[in-house]
Amino acid sequence: MCLPVGMVSSDHCRLIGLLMSRVFVTGLGFISSIGNDEDTVVDHLRKLKHGIELFEPLQVPESPVKLAAPVKDFDVESYDPEDWIYPSKYRLRREILRSFSPHVLYAYCSMKQAIENAGLEASDVSNIDTGIYTASAGSSRFLHKSLEKMYNRGIMRCNPLNIVSSVAGTVSFNLVSNYQIQGVSTGFASACASSGHALGFAFEEIRRGKQKRMFVVGAEDCNFDSIVPFAVMRALSLSTDPDSAARPFDKNRQGFVSSGGGVTMVLESEEEVARRGATVYGEIVGWGQASDGYNVAISHPDGRGLQNAMKLALKDAELPVDKIDYLNAHAPSTPIGDLSEVVAMKEVFGPNTSPMISSTKALTGHGLSLSSILESGICMLAYKHGFVPGSANIDELMKEAEGLNIIRESLDRKPEYIMSNSSGFGGANISLIFRSC
Amino acid sequence: MNSRIEIETVTVAPLSEEERAELADSLKRCSEGTRDAAFQFRETGQLILLPVIILGIIERFLEPEIRPKLKEGDGSLKLIDDLGIDSLTMMEIIVLVEESLDLSIDNEELRDLRTLDDVRIFLDAKIRNIPVPEKNKHYSVEAILAAIPHHVPFLFLNEVSLGKEEAIGSYTISGLEDFLKGHFPDNPVFPASIMLEALGQLAVFYLVTTQTSDARQPVDPKKIFFTGCEAIRCQRICVPGETLSLSIKPRAFRHPIAKFEGKITVGGETAAWAEDISLTFDWASESDNSE
């Protein structure tokens, strides 16, 4: 049988005996609401310390939402990047900053951290075998400001770099140029599943031998313009108590708390890991994606797409369902979203084989495009530091979740197989499976 | 030439309170003097304020270590090579200049702005609403080779820009010049005599490329020779990696002698100047052309 190029599935490869590379995670960088370095993030996860606060830009009468989970030690509120305050070790020249919006700075810093963390040389970063997949929704704040200026002052009186700094794709534009990436590059825009798509496809690039190394970067702004539009969808928690607002799987959950930041993950082929003698966090062993085909913004009541994504991921990893030790759920703390996922997980895992389950969004808030790569990063930290992060703020478990092993405290136990779920608008669902090394 | 003190003005749109606040915000990273000059210009339209505003805006976009170069007032500084301004930065500068001076500039008009003087002359003409003086014409090294008899390894011009009354050229000392092995061993210094030679080559290029008013027929490139130079002063050692910015201006032209003055700068610093570089020349005759 002759298979057309591009039609070779992992099953086919196995059937015809093609060698597929194993894919390892060798570097991480975090600029997040719960820390801007690995140790701080781990400390928050172990002790269930959240990154949520009464966010200053939201403390205005017209904003019904008051809480957010912003990045700490970064003041990027100004429209002028030259005004920004951020850790001096990331100091950037004006010509680089001028095409950034806030989340691009987060992304840039997380990538710098990940490159150092993975111990990559400049030549490892810039070559035709190293690519980058990014995820962000762009900067509605910067887009809005630039259009406002265009209408008020005239088309030719705007910053020439308005477009590249603000549209979806800006993370790719800026990181590819500044880190001199020469391999594959593109951006993903599937809302809260975006960085899951980026990670899944980056995994494929290496597994199929097209690239030796991939950077996967997710990033989002966290400001008035990125948060408040979700209020009218009734998707946000209107609570003013930072300690209890984000409560996935709780009976009284009322919406998510918005977050932003940037996370970078470095993936490498088995060959590259061996060549560099790289330290490995964990391995990616499979993924699945499926769509609800149901509603533009509401998840399917039975989590149809997510069920299929989880089943496909298990099949891709050739793993029986009872091998999953821990599941990092998407569960954003919305009434409908959490319920769909609970129904889907029950369907996939059955009554007796529930893995440990938690949603770390209770601590991090919901970083939208950022969330999938942030949570995959958290799974890698669970491997390296030997713990399972708990699901915080559950006072009364939603009754539909009874029977699932939702853990409410972090446990000192190194899981072997981890599944991480993400779902986005339009019913896009991703499930990724990792293995400890 | 004109000893009368005369403050020329143009009509500009005055700023509303709101526009003034917006302009102040746009110019917040410029010096106070630049901001004040811009406000004053929008009140009075005094052209004398233009250089302060334009240089102040350019300065704002330069890396701090490059800013002192502007203070020297060398109009031949190149935007890209000397000041590190890329095309995107040029767009930022233009947008801010447009806003400050209440001007609109087309992309086409920006194409040949290469030096600070180009920018100054261009904006001065724009604001007066008069035609922009004809820009210098640029010649690549291939065009230079085609025009003058000099050739590698004895050509000391990489590019030339020809104006009405001057020629500007540049030469980057590669360090591979053979004579640097002996001048001096382990300490390569570009010889002063070769600096004069480079100015001479630029003068030859000027002679054969421009149609001077006295010249009724073309000058023969093969019949131009150096005869003398009244004075030459070298003020700076030039070493491999540096780019010599050469300029010559015609001083006299009467067959068979043409005289020029010349100057060489490196990154805005004067390296050498020469008075009365004299060249003999002759016309390209019919018989020569037929050879």
Side-chain angles (χ1 to χ4, degrees):
Chain A
M1 176 174 150
C2 182
L3 288 161
V5 175
M7 293 289 287
V8 184
S9 74
S10 54
D11 282 346
H12 288 136
C13 288
R14 287 181 193 112
L15 275 173
I16 59 179
L18 283 181
L19 190 64
M20 303 219 298
S21 175
R22 293 172 69 187
V23 181
F24 297 93
V25 177
T26 58
L28 292 169
F30 293 93
I31 303 293
S32 78
S33 64
I34 59 166
N36 299 336
D37 58 78
E38 182 171 317
D39 290 344
T40 309
V41 173
V42 169
D43 185 59
H44 278 72
L45 293 167
R46 278 188 182 277
K47 296 175 182 162
L48 299 187
K49 294 195 292 188
H50 64 76
I52 296 164
E53 62 185 55
L54 284 161
F55 187 44
E56 199 266 323
L58 302 178
Q59 308 314 306
V60 288
E62 59 269 32
S63 176
V65 52
K66 304 296 178 192
L67 297 177
V71 169
K72 314 304 183 285
D73 302 325
F74 281 67
D75 181 352
V76 289
E77 269 299 292
S78 172
Y79 291 110
D80 181 351
E82 286 178 82
D83 288 338
W84 291 348
I85 297 165
Y86 53 97
S88 56
K89 64 180 165 180
Y90 298 116
R91 185 61 49 201
L92 288 164
R93 287 183 301 127
R94 197 194 73 83
E95 296 118 87
I96 293 176
L97 271 181
R98 67 183 170 182
S99 55
F100 279 22
S101 46
H103 71 289
V104 179
L105 180 65
Y106 300 146
Y108 180 93
C109 297
S110 74
M111 184 153 165
K112 188 167 184 205
Q113 208 184 106
I115 288 169
E116 279 170 23
N117 179 244
L120 297 172
E121 305 287 336
S123 58
D124 297 325
V125 176
S126 184
N127 57 63
I128 59 165
D129 295 316
T130 299
I132 184 169
Y133 283 162
T134 69
S136 109
S139 177
S140 46
R141 180 181 181 80
F142 270 41
L143 195 55
H144 163 230
K145 184 66 180 177
S146 63
L147 291 175
E148 183 184 72
K149 195 169 175 186
M150 186 186 85
Y151 284 120
N152 290 342
R153 294 207 209 171
I155 293 166
M156 299 308 277
R157 293 284 161 86
C158 295
N159 175 355
L161 291 159
N162 274 342
I163 293 173
V164 291
S165 71
S166 62
V167 298
T170 178
V171 175
S172 272
F173 312 154
N174 280 289
L175 296 189
V176 167
S177 54
N178 285 313
Y179 287 105
Q180 288 108 44
I181 298 298
Q182 296 177 40
V184 303
S185 69
T186 193
F188 290 79
S190 48
C192 308
S194 302
S195 56
H197 279 115
L199 183 54
F201 283 106
F203 165 60
E204 291 295 352
E205 293 290 352
I206 298 174
R207 176 157 75 166
R208 296 179 182 215
K210 291 184 175 179
Q211 296 277 277
K212 291 179 178 169
R213 186 179 299 100
M214 288 294 297
F215 295 100
V216 183
V217 188
E220 288 284 10
D221 278 10
C222 183
N223 47 46
F224 190 92
D225 309 62
S226 74
I227 297 169
V228 172
F230 286 95
V232 72
M233 299 182 84
R234 309 295 191 270
L236 295 172
S237 168
L238 305 183
S239 164
T240 54
D241 178 11
D243 296 329
S244 66
R247 45 199 314 125
F249 304 125
D250 187 87
K251 185 185 164 200
N252 295 312
R253 68 195 182 280
Q254 289 178 332
F256 72 84
V257 175
S258 200
S259 185
V263 169
T264 299
M265 185 180 275
V266 183
L267 310 186
E268 290 185 273
S269 67
E270 190 171 13
E271 193 184 13
E272 276 299 282
V273 168
R275 181 188 70 81
R276 297 202 305 115
T279 308
V280 162
Y281 281 87
E283 182 178 2
I284 307 181
V285 292
W287 71 306
Q289 54 160 329
S291 307
D292 284 351
Y294 173 69
N295 185 283
V296 67
I298 301 169
S299 48
H300 189 277
D302 297 335
R304 180 164 70 195
L306 189 54
Q307 276 186 41
N308 288 329
M310 286 189 276
K311 287 173 184 170
L312 287 168
L314 288 163
K315 186 169 175 242
D316 189 36
E318 298 178 313
L319 212 59
V321 64
D322 61 357
K323 291 293 264 183
I324 301 294
D325 298 311
Y326 165 58
L327 194 161
N328 186 300
H330 176 70
S333 182
T334 59
I336 296 172
D338 292 16
L339 180 57
S340 303
E341 189 168 11
V342 161
V343 173
M345 290 189 294
K346 281 191 157 177
E347 174 63 29
V348 170
F349 291 98
N352 303 314
T353 54
S354 169
M356 294 177 280
I357 296 167
S358 70
S359 168
T360 43
K361 288 189 180 75
L363 309 176
T364 62
H366 186 8
L368 312 170
S369 293
L370 166 71
S371 65
S372 191
I373 194 69
L374 169 60
E375 286 154 22
S376 297
I378 286 171
C379 296
M380 293 303 127
L381 297 182
Y383 284 147
K384 180 174 169 187
H385 297 267
F387 71 103
V388 182
S391 214
N393 297 337
I394 301 174
D395 288 341
E396 191 179 343
L397 188 71
M398 56 192 283
K399 67 175 182 344
E400 299 87 344
E402 281 168 13
L404 291 174
N405 182 17
I406 295 174
I407 55 168
R408 306 191 193 184
E409 296 293 336
S410 296
L411 305 174
D412 283 326
R413 187 188 308 172
K414 181 177 175 178
E416 187 182 3
Y417 285 98
I418 299 181
M419 176 181 269
S420 179
N421 287 346
S422 292
S423 301
F425 282 146
N429 302 279
I430 296 279
S431 189
L432 293 140
I433 299 179
F434 312 114
R435 176 165 57 207
S436 64
C437 292
Chain B
M1 289 202 293
N2 190 348
S3 59
R4 216 150 36 94
I5 295 175
E6 177 187 281
I7 299 183
E8 286 182 277
T9 61
V10 290
T11 310
V12 280
L15 292 163
S16 68
E17 273 300 303
E18 196 185 330
E19 286 168 336
R20 190 185 160 93
E22 279 178 2
L23 183 56
D25 186 52
S26 297
L27 294 174
K28 70 177 177 180
R29 291 186 198 283
C30 295
S31 68
E32 207 179 328
T34 307
R35 263 194 314 278
D36 289 347
F39 292 141
Q40 206 187 334
F41 177 77
R42 295 298 287 271
E43 277 168 29
T44 64
Q46 290 173 353
L47 291 171
I48 200 171
L49 297 164
L50 282 188
V52 177
I53 301 168
I54 295 163
L55 280 180
I57 288 173
I58 292 174
E59 182 185 29
R60 174 255 177 280
F61 287 100
L62 299 183
E63 289 297 321
E65 64 272 18
I66 293 182
R67 288 179 187 170
K69 284 191 184 179
L70 279 187
K71 298 271 192 286
E72 293 159 19
D74 180 356
S76 69
L77 281 178
K78 289 186 187 147
L79 303 175
I80 296 172
D81 297 339
D82 296 330
L83 301 177
I85 295 172
D86 63 14
S87 63
L88 285 170
T89 305
M90 194 63 200
M91 293 308 301
E92 292 181 288
I93 290 170
I94 290 300
V95 168
L96 199 45
V97 166
E98 286 182 320
E99 186 183 349
S100 303
L101 304 184
D102 188 34
L103 272 181
S104 290
I105 296 165
D106 296 335
N107 286 351
E108 283 295 308
E109 298 177 292
L110 298 175
R111 194 158 289 168
D112 268 350
L113 301 183
R114 293 180 186 222
T115 65
L116 281 181
D117 274 346
D118 288 350
V119 175
R120 187 182 52 73
I121 292 164
F122 168 74
L123 289 173
D124 190 71
K126 281 298 283 187
I127 201 90
R128 290 170 198 263
N129 206 15
I130 58 171
V132 179
E134 212 169 293
K135 288 180 205 96
N136 289 358
K137 201 171 172 203
H138 291 272
Y139 297 86
S140 66
V141 70
E142 291 80 12
I144 298 166
L145 283 168
I148 65 175
H150 305 71
H151 214 287
V152 182
F154 211 70
L155 179 72
F156 302 105
L157 297 169
N158 297 142
E159 59 170 351
V160 171
S161 155
L162 210 55
K164 214 165 183 185
E165 287 297 321
E166 71 172 347
I168 296 167
S170 72
Y171 179 73
T172 300
I173 306 168
S174 70
L176 302 174
E177 293 86 350
D178 207 38
F179 51 78
L180 290 180
K181 288 179 194 159
H183 194 277
F184 303 95
D186 300 326
N187 179 29
V189 173
F190 200 74
S193 52
I194 304 288
M195 288 194 198
L196 183 58
E197 170 65 25
L199 287 172
Q201 292 183 1
L202 188 58
V204 171
F205 185 81
Y206 181 91
L207 263 187
V208 298
T209 313
T210 39
Q211 290 290 323
T212 60
S213 55
D214 295 349
R216 266 164 254 112
Q217 45 190 324
V219 172
D220 185 342
K222 291 178 188 157
K223 294 178 183 167
I224 307 174
F225 297 98
F226 177 84
T227 61
C229 176
E230 284 297 308
I232 177 160
R233 287 280 176 279
C234 293
Q235 299 175 330
R236 184 189 187 284
I237 284 172
C238 301
V239 297
E242 290 183 327
T243 297
L244 309 181
S245 295
L246 310 142
S247 65
I248 56 104
K249 288 180 179 165
R251 280 288 166 254
F253 183 85
R254 180 188 283 260
H255 182 256
I257 294 290
K259 292 185 176 185
F260 299 85
E261 68 174 37
K263 188 177 175 186
I264 300 178
T265 61
V266 174
E269 287 178 21
T270 301
W273 55 266
E275 267 177 32
D276 280 352
I277 302 168
S278 298
L279 303 179
T280 62
F281 68 92
D282 206 349
W283 311 118
S285 67
E286 287 284 322
S287 57
D288 284 349
N289 282 349
S290 64
E291 275 179 6

